[in-house]
């Protein structure tokens, strides 16, 4: 350690990723149970932000390499003034064998202090630089949904601002399609036009899950993919030339109001596996 800080890990870049689209899914206990079968088509397991990150990454790594989407506390984004728990981040970056880190483009004035859009860009650039220094990994940044009653400002879901963020931080893009669907709905914009404005040429990973229409409008619920979601996904994968990772963010039995089960997992994974094999044969 230097001056009480963790030692940095030797660097890795996105260039080492395989030149094919790989498949990942949320590392939930019900999915880990299915991985006893060698027929489940998965290259990576994704561990999201969690207060139990160490145990969850350890459990997932016993089955597959892990995409480290967070390490705690829940709610971390690159808008925070300090990278929390740097020693835990380094530990899990090494344990997981993750090819990169990913984090949210988010901003909560109550938590992060009052920042202008340009001030937020500077904050995010500093945070990403610190993530790279600590881990030696490249960073992907993810779009988040917009709802008019939330604290997240509307401009964070502007495709043009997202492009500015990627340029300022020199990061690649993690495109969450459910988040984009929700944002377009509540911004009152046509989904296809909204998606076309996104920095699709910078996308390395896509998150796919099913949003649901509720009383207050479309919401991000991480439920099973439906026909409309597959249509959006099919559109997106053919417009993201740098795509390397397709991640199912289904939350299984944790998806409120819907029945899960092995057959729901397997049906989605098989469809995504078929899609990525078609992409890899191009």
């Amino acid at each position: 350690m230097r001056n009480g800080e963790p030692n940095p890990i030797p660097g890795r870049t996105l260039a080492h990723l395989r030149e094919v689209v790989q498949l990942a899914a949320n590392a939930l206990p019900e999915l880990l149970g299915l991985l006893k079968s060698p027929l489940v088509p998965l290259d990576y397991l994704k561990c999201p932000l969690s207060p139990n990150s160490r145990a969850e990454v350890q459990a997932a790594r016993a089955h597959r390499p892990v995409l480290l989407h967070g390490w705690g506390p829940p709610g971390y984004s690159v808008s925070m003034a300090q990278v929390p728990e740097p020693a835990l981040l380094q530990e899990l970056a090494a344990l997981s064998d993750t090819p990169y880190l990913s984090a949210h483009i988010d901003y909560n004035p109550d938590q992060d202090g009052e920042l202008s859009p340009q001030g937020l860009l500077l904050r995010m650039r500093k945070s990403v630089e610190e993530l790279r220094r600590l881990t030696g990994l490249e960073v992907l940044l993810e779009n988040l949904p917009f709802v008019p009653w939330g604290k997240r400002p509307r401009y964070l879901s502007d495709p043009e601002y997202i492009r500015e963020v990627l340029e300022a931080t020199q990061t690649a893009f993690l495109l969450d399609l459910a988040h984009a669907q929700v944002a377009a709905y509540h911004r009152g914009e046509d989904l296809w036009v909204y998606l076309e404005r996104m920095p699709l040429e910078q996308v390395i990973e896509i998150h796919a899950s099913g949003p649901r229409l509720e009383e207050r409008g479309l919401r991000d619920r991480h439920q099973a993919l439906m026909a409309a979601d597959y249509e959006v996904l099919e559109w997106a994968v053919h417009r993201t030339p740098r795509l390397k990772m397709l991640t199912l963010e289904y939350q299984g039995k944790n998806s409120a109001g819907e029945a899960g089960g092995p057959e729901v997992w397997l049906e989605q994974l098989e469809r995504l596996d078929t899609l990525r094999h078609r992409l890899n044969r191009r």
Side-chain angles (χ1 to χ4, degrees):
M1 299 180 70
R2 294 181 308 176
N3 301 321
E5 295 182 352
N7 294 321
I9 294 172
R12 279 183 275 170
T13 69
L14 296 176
H16 78 282
L17 279 171
R18 292 170 56 196
E19 291 300 316
V20 293
V21 177
Q22 298 181 88
L23 187 59
N26 279 347
L28 298 176
E30 59 191 275
L31 176 60
L32 299 186
L34 293 177
L35 293 180
K36 296 173 183 177
S37 167
L39 302 178
V40 178
L42 273 180
D43 301 296
Y44 285 87
L45 291 163
K46 193 207 86 176
C47 284
L49 292 164
S50 167
N52 302 311
S53 287
R54 181 180 285 105
E56 291 172 4
V57 170
Q58 288 173 339
R61 188 63 189 89
H63 298 274
R64 298 287 194 282
V66 171
L67 293 181
L68 194 61
H69 189 52
W71 61 97
Y76 170 72
S77 78
V78 288
S79 64
M80 292 178 69
Q82 302 292 330
V83 172
E85 303 185 65
L88 177 61
L89 167 61
Q90 287 196 308
E91 175 190 337
L92 297 185
L95 171 65
S96 63
D97 200 25
T98 188
Y100 48 75
L101 297 178
S102 57
H104 294 147
I105 300 172
D106 202 0
Y107 170 50
N108 181 341
D110 292 346
Q111 171 183 284
D112 303 324
E114 290 293 336
L115 294 168
S116 68
Q118 289 304 308
L120 181 56
L121 284 179
L122 294 174
R123 171 77 62 81
M124 289 190 284
R125 184 172 68 184
K126 179 182 176 183
S127 182
V128 167
E129 288 173 351
E130 183 67 358
L131 292 176
R132 290 193 181 109
R133 187 191 72 80
L134 286 166
T135 67
L137 293 167
E138 288 301 324
V139 179
L140 272 56
L141 295 183
E142 177 185 354
N143 61 302
L144 286 181
F146 167 75
V147 293
W149 60 85
K151 294 182 178 180
R152 186 176 299 134
R154 177 188 171 105
Y155 72 79
L156 278 188
S157 61
D158 290 348
E160 294 76 16
Y161 188 76
I162 291 170
R163 191 178 293 275
E164 281 191 71
V165 170
L166 299 181
E167 182 177 347
T169 57
Q170 291 297 290
T171 52
F173 190 28
L174 195 168
L175 173 61
D176 189 303
L177 291 173
H179 292 175
Q181 289 169 267
V182 172
Y185 177 95
H186 288 285
R187 290 166 62 97
E189 298 181 24
D190 178 84
L191 173 62
W192 308 108
V193 174
Y194 180 72
L195 284 171
E196 283 179 345
R197 290 164 50 207
M198 286 286 192
L200 300 176
E201 74 283 357
Q202 297 297 327
V203 171
I204 297 294
E205 182 177 354
I206 286 177
H207 283 178
S209 67
R212 290 295 183 266
L213 191 61
E214 300 177 356
E215 184 177 351
R216 300 180 82 178
L218 197 65
R219 303 297 302 277
D220 177 38
R221 293 304 189 212
H222 292 244
Q223 296 187 354
L225 294 163
M226 300 179 73
D229 307 312
Y230 283 112
E231 181 183 1
V232 174
L233 177 60
E234 186 81 32
W235 182 95
V237 297
H238 293 292
R239 289 163 176 81
T240 48
R242 296 180 62 196
L243 181 66
K244 292 290 178 284
M245 195 73 64
L246 184 55
T247 301
L248 177 65
E249 280 209 305
Y250 175 54
Q251 282 295 105
K253 65 184 179 182
N254 295 322
S255 297
E258 295 190 11
E263 66 283 353
V264 182
W265 278 102
L266 293 174
E267 189 274 336
Q268 293 177 96
L269 289 172
E270 287 168 3
R271 288 190 66 167
L272 296 185
D273 188 43
T274 298
L275 174 59
R276 64 87 171 254
H277 280 301
R278 280 198 284 114
L279 294 171
N280 291 338
R281 288 196 295 268
R282 291 186 301 187

